[in-house]
Amino acid sequence: MLKTLLVIAVGFLPSLISLWAIRKTHARSRLRMRQAAMNFPAVQGRQNLRPVEGDRYYLEGVGYLIGDISCKFNARSGYMRCAVNPEGPCNGCRHYEPKGLANSEKRA
């Protein structure tokens, strides 16, 4: 009977050691993630500070838009100006094309 219990205990020993190692690793990663989450807003706040520029508009029902809203390539977004020149500025952009009227596009 004692030999049987010893064989069973020795059989479970590797899986118990593995389970202990997994739990310790998970606890360590949770601690690292918690530390990263505590430090992330401070780092993000410093990196994403961008001065408010004069090409920001408020459109009723849509919200804030940046860039020249009369340009064909404007993204109509508060985060990105356009696909061609997302960082800007819009003043003097060589890719500027005025938006065509809806009626003139249908005729052509």
Side-chain angles (χ1 to χ4, degrees), residues 3 6 11 13-15 20 22-23 31 36 47 49-51 60 69 76-77 85 89 92 95-98 101 105 108:
K3 286 183 182 181
L6 184 63
L13 192 60
S15 59
W20 173 77
I22 289 172
R23 285 181 174 242
L31 177 65
Q47 288 178 350
L49 284 179
R50 188 168 36 155
E60 189 68 34
I69 57 176
R76 291 155 189 82
S77 165
N85 187 12
H95 302 288
Y96 174 79
E97 289 184 28
L101 298 174
E105 288 178 4

Side-chain angles (χ1 to χ4, degrees), residues 30-79:
R30 268 185 274 141
L31 177 65
R32 287 182 183 168
M33 290 296 282
R34 189 176 301 127
Q35 288 173 345
M38 295 298 287
N39 294 334
F40 180 71
V43 173
Q44 183 186 19
R46 277 186 258 127
Q47 288 178 350
N48 289 336
L49 284 179
R50 188 168 36 155
V52 177
E53 298 173 12
D55 61 347
R56 186 173 180 194
Y57 303 95
Y58 181 77
L59 187 62
E60 189 68 34
V62 177
Y64 282 100
L65 303 175
I66 58 173
D68 188 352
I69 57 176
S70 66
C71 180
K72 177 180 177 181
F73 299 112
N74 188 282
R76 291 155 189 82
S77 165
Y79 304 104

